[in-house]
Amino acid sequence: MFDVHCHILPGIDDGSKNVEMSLEMLEREVQQGIEGVIFTPHFYADMNDPAMFLSKRESALKELESNLDKLDKVPKHTVGAEVHYFRGMSRSDDLEKLCIGKSDFILIEMPFRDWQSVFIDEIEEISTVLGLRVIIAHIERYFDQDKKLVKRLLNNPDLLIQCNAEFFIEKKTASKAIKLMKSGRIDLLGSDSHNLDTRRPNLAEAIEIIQKKDKKGSLDHIMRMGQTIFEQAL
Ligand SMILES: [Fe+2]
């Protein structure tokens, strides 16, 4: 299994505070059988200059990589970003630089304010104008948005849908998660882990729940998608 969304890189966003925490988070990923991890620090266009962000990300990655020999087993890893929606993003030359590794997959976080149809137009144009492959981060966080607009995202086969492990683990949302999985619309899973306690690496817990309910090979599909991204990223 692959963790395609996490904040394990040290000292770059509200995720891991230092290398020690990052190493412990990675150790937990390995213990849970995770074979590949994509580091996706937050990118906010109104707060980050892309060049500055990329340079900070590179430094954080180098710092972590120079300490990986402390781990018994190191998972495959690559870098991307969790790019928060911004107006005009589908016309931005910088967007491609925020894709996952060498791939053309990009993880996008939708706005939390009320959605308008222009937001969805913009997302669709990232694919049609820039030719990038959009992954919508934690779709479950937007289920109280305009249902028609959420449906438009879910019905667009060019967009990949990522859910957080928590969606399956939380009792309040587990049945919705299973329903979405059974509809065949979950492409990728992420821990979205930020630390070692409140938002810890937790994919194994979700996988255990999924395995009990998965009759249509949804987990295989999720694993294959993770594998495809890694093959293109590395
Ligand atoms: Fe995140």
Side-chain angles (χ1 to χ4, degrees), residues 5-7 40 42 82 109 138 141 164 192 194 199:
H5 179 172
C6 70
H7 301 268
T40 52
H42 290 288
E82 180 178 7
E109 179 181 47
H138 40 55
R141 292 217 190 150
N164 283 357
D192 201 1
H194 282 63
R199 300 188 70 185

Side-chain angles (χ1 to χ4, degrees), residues 165-200:
E166 204 182 7
F167 188 32
F168 286 91
I169 297 166
E170 284 290 320
K171 288 204 168 69
K172 280 189 290 194
T173 57
S175 60
K176 270 192 189 163
I178 300 290
K179 194 174 162 199
L180 186 64
M181 180 191 79
K182 286 185 173 170
S183 77
R185 203 51 188 109
I186 299 182
D187 299 301
L188 293 156
L189 281 177
S191 67
D192 201 1
S193 51
H194 282 63
N195 52 45
L196 291 164
D197 38 69
T198 51
R199 300 188 70 185
R200 63 192 186 283

Side-chain angles (χ1 to χ4, degrees), residues 127-168:
S127 140
T128 55
V129 176
L130 294 180
L132 303 181
R133 284 186 281 178
V134 174
I135 304 167
I136 303 292
H138 40 55
I139 189 76
E140 69 276 9
R141 292 217 190 150
Y142 310 108
F143 284 170
D144 54 355
Q145 293 284 355
D146 182 331
K147 289 202 167 24
K148 263 192 224 148
L149 297 178
V150 174
K151 231 179 188 172
R152 223 179 109 191
L153 284 186
L154 289 172
N155 287 343
N156 184 333
D158 293 333
L159 306 177
L160 297 175
I161 303 295
Q162 181 255 314
C163 289
N164 283 357
E166 204 182 7
F167 188 32
F168 286 91

